[in-house]
Amino acid sequence: MELNAEQQFKDIQNNLAIVRQRIVDACKKAGRDPASVRLLPVTKTVPAERLRIAYAAGCHEMGENKIQEAREKSEVLSDLNIKWAVIGHLQTNKAKYLARFANEFQALDSLKVAEELDKRLQNEGRAIDVYVQVNSSGEASKFGLPPEDVRDFVQKLPNYSSLHIKGLMTLAIFSSDHDRVRECFVKMREIQAMLRQEAPAGLAFDELSMGMSGDYELAIEEGATVVRVGQAIFGKRPLPDSYYWPGMG
């Protein structure tokens, strides 16, 4: 049975409070300031009318995996001051849509996409924050640059002035083995440290977007500054994670 709006509001508000407290606890455990970690609610498959309730409950940033779904929701909810982040793979021919509404793109792993997105943003008179996606698990099914290719890729990014490079993003291996998951996060921290020394002037690598509902506390322990949490806020999705994130069960 569909919950009424008041109950949905309470559920989302309660779930948000739990997630935020777990972020605080993970930061304390790691000796970090909780203010250094940003929660990005992931809203894929959540209907626009429920997102309106979520906005009232305190979700003012929303992350979407599929550009078409993000675009449609941004139009329906255009009266709200939502900051939209596209966190999934982008095809070059969809860059024109992202350039019109997104505040952030977290999945850059192609110079063709960088070039097209920069061109479309210039046409719109806009700039957005961008994260470079790294395939930290080495799984063939996942998007993202191999770790060994990141240095050379980053050297070319100053050519795209509408892309404000902020950091790195990854999807860790989907595993119940915390040591294997942690390895992915440690690798990202090492790449970040290298880029802070070697990246071209004007590019910042202060942000690490890593960790989702099942592993964000581990990610915080290893330096995540953005955690992408969906199901812990909105409940189980109607389709399996593999539909949204290749390589996940």
Side-chain angles (χ1 to χ4, degrees), residues 34-53:
S36 68
V37 178
R38 174 179 141 224
L39 171 62
L40 176 60
V42 176
T43 53
K44 53 182 180 267
T45 76
V46 183
E49 58 271 22
R50 191 150 187 249
L51 294 187
R52 196 172 283 282
I53 295 168

Side-chain angles (χ1 to χ4, degrees), residues 30 32 39 75 95 99 165 220 222 232 249:
R32 296 183 57 194
L39 171 62
E75 289 171 358
I165 307 301
I220 288 169
E222 298 303 336

Side-chain angles (χ1 to χ4, degrees), residues 1-236:
M1 193 174 94
E2 182 97 6
L3 296 173
N4 65 34
E6 184 180 359
Q7 189 57 53
Q8 288 185 58
F9 176 86
K10 286 180 180 174
D11 286 351
I12 293 170
Q13 199 173 49
N14 184 54
N15 291 344
L16 271 174
I18 292 169
V19 171
R20 285 175 174 148
Q21 186 58 51
R22 287 176 64 179
I23 289 171
V24 168
D25 293 344
C27 285
K28 284 181 180 173
K29 182 180 176 185
R32 296 183 57 194
D33 178 358
S36 68
V37 178
R38 174 179 141 224
L39 171 62
L40 176 60
V42 176
T43 53
K44 53 182 180 267
T45 76
V46 183
E49 58 271 22
R50 191 150 187 249
L51 294 187
R52 196 172 283 282
I53 295 168
Y55 183 86
C59 292
H60 296 168
E61 296 183 60
M62 299 183 185
E64 286 282 340
N65 185 258
K66 294 181 178 292
I67 187 67
Q68 186 61 32
E69 187 177 347
R71 179 186 170 204
E72 288 168 1
K73 288 176 182 174
S74 74
E75 289 171 358
V76 172
L77 302 172
S78 61
D79 57 309
L80 302 179
N81 187 27
I82 296 169
K83 288 186 175 178
W84 293 99
V86 174
I87 58 177
H89 180 69
L90 182 69
Q91 295 173 310
T92 313
N93 64 347
K94 303 284 177 62
K96 59 190 175 190
Y97 303 125
L98 187 148
R100 289 174 193 157
F101 74 90
N103 302 90
E104 187 172 271
F105 175 47
Q106 289 204 7
L108 181 66
D109 64 358
S110 154
L111 288 176
K112 283 186 177 176
V113 170
E115 183 176 357
E116 184 65 19
L117 184 56
D118 182 60
K119 183 175 79 176
R120 297 293 182 172
L121 285 163
Q122 302 266 10
N123 291 345
E124 298 284 336
R126 301 182 70 230
I128 61 170
D129 293 343
V130 173
Y131 292 59
V132 174
Q133 184 174 357
V134 182
N135 183 352
S136 59
S137 68
E139 295 168 280
S141 58
K142 283 197 175 136
F143 293 110
L145 294 163
E148 62 272 17
D149 291 355
V150 175
R151 181 190 276 110
D152 288 345
F153 181 83
V154 162
Q155 295 299 320
K156 300 177 177 71
L157 295 181
N159 296 329
Y160 312 110
S161 61
S162 295
L163 309 184
H164 291 173
I165 307 301
K166 295 294 182 183
L168 303 168
M169 183 273 256
T170 200
L171 296 164
I173 191 167
F174 187 63
S175 172
S176 57
D177 183 341
H178 284 188
D179 289 339
R180 293 182 72 198
V181 175
R182 190 185 294 275
E183 281 173 19
C184 296
F185 298 147
V186 169
K187 188 174 292 182
M188 293 300 294
R189 185 158 43 80
E190 290 169 348
I191 295 169
Q192 180 192 40
M194 177 270 292
L195 291 174
R196 281 175 158 168
Q197 298 295 319
E198 300 183 20
L203 304 188
F205 284 93
D206 296 329
E207 305 294 336
L208 272 183
S209 175
M210 55 189 198
M212 301 191 294
S213 286
D215 58 16
Y216 66 89
E217 287 147 308
L218 268 182
I220 288 169
E221 287 178 30
E222 298 303 336
T225 64
V226 181
V227 292
R228 309 180 305 271
V229 179
Q231 294 190 79
I233 297 171
F234 298 106
K236 196 164 177 60

